[in-house]
Amino acid sequence: MQWFKDCWSAFNAKDWAKLGGCYSETVHAESVDSGMPQTIGRTDVIEKSAKPFAAQFPDVAGESQLLLLNGDHIASVWLLKGKNSGALMGPDGSSLPATNKSFGMLSAHVVDLSEDGRSIAMERFYSDSGTMLGQLGLSKAPHRAVLAKGAEAKLVIAKNSPTEKFNLDVAKNALEAFNKHDVNALVDMMTADVVFSDLGAPKDVVGKPAVKKSFEGMFKAFSDLKIEAKTVWAAGDYIVMEGSMSGTNDGNMPSMKLKKTGKTLQVRFLEIDEVKDGKLKNMWVFDNSMAFAAQLGLLPQPAKKSENKPAEKVKNDSAHKQPAKAAEPAKAAAEKPKAGHGAASDHSEHPSK
């Protein structure tokens, strides 16, 4: 775990040679549901991912919040922050001028280690694009405020204890209740002061009544909503789950002013839950709200080009005003409605909570 923290220190220091040594030659790395392609190989991770990101945010750095280890699996939460003083690059290759604004947000980093435990074989980042765009002033949608200071770092190493085995049963039961849409069973597994944090939502949902209402609203909007867990493991009082959520938006969600779209949804997520006295006390969900909105067709489309006009008509029009330019792809994406993951009152789509 110290080696892993040293790798992050290398990133913070922009020591690319040292950071490169943290990866296996054949590493597979991805920023989940970001629209960016998977990066394969140590060199490309540095040259096509780490360096370009740092070019946009030269002072970017991560502060450790939570480090969980179970065998060759590490799940970690970091306060990622920096100032955008370089051109912003979009997934389609478009760019926007630097905003010179700062961002600060919680992001998650999951890695699978190589057999010797001293290099990263698989890497997955979970971070919300909508939050970053909002903090940089590129989106008017509701979003979390810039987080300048995080919590004290915590490190937990799995011991294969009876408590961890019990917690895995809690996760299994919660997942089953979610897929049955049994809201009462779900909230019965939570503490009275439970806190549900979807990092793509502008604020947390606190307390069993609010969380129950959130689940109910989501199930009405997606009557066939379900979760498929790909991996589930425990470390101390924490449960880590990676998987996907899918469903059809066949109902309205009044709390978000969202009318049914009839479209299907499939997004990936990482969830970290803290269990206290056998019940779920804190649940953090890391996913990308822009993937949610894009799949439901809620992102604005680029402006259409005007129909051809006779030359004389075009000339006369230009004397009064300049023709409108088509919206830049990156700008259009930034101005999306914050659907699905934009309202705290309906963000219980991931259960195991």
Side-chain angles (χ1 to χ4, degrees), residues 332-349:
E335 295 176 346
K336 75 178 194 318
K338 191 75 170 182
H341 294 269
S345 61
D346 282 290
H347 281 287
S348 301
E349 53 277 46

Side-chain angles (χ1 to χ4, degrees), residues 29-30 44 60 90 100 140 146 171 181 208 210 232 238 240 251 261-262 271 291 340:
E30 63 177 322
D44 281 358
V60 66
N100 290 312
K140 297 179 180 179
V146 175
H181 294 193
K208 290 175 71 169
V232 184
Y238 294 89
V240 177
T261 64
E271 180 172 341

Side-chain angles (χ1 to χ4, degrees), residues 1-5 66-75 154-161 163-164 233-238:
M1 291 304 292
Q2 184 58 52
W3 163 85
F4 181 67
K5 290 192 288 184
L66 179 64
L67 299 170
L68 305 175
L69 171 68
N70 185 317
D72 59 359
H73 304 296
I74 297 176
K154 182 180 292 187
L155 167 64
V156 182
I157 299 176
K159 299 178 180 178
N160 195 30
S161 67
T163 296
E164 291 169 347
W233 50 272
D237 293 332
Y238 294 89

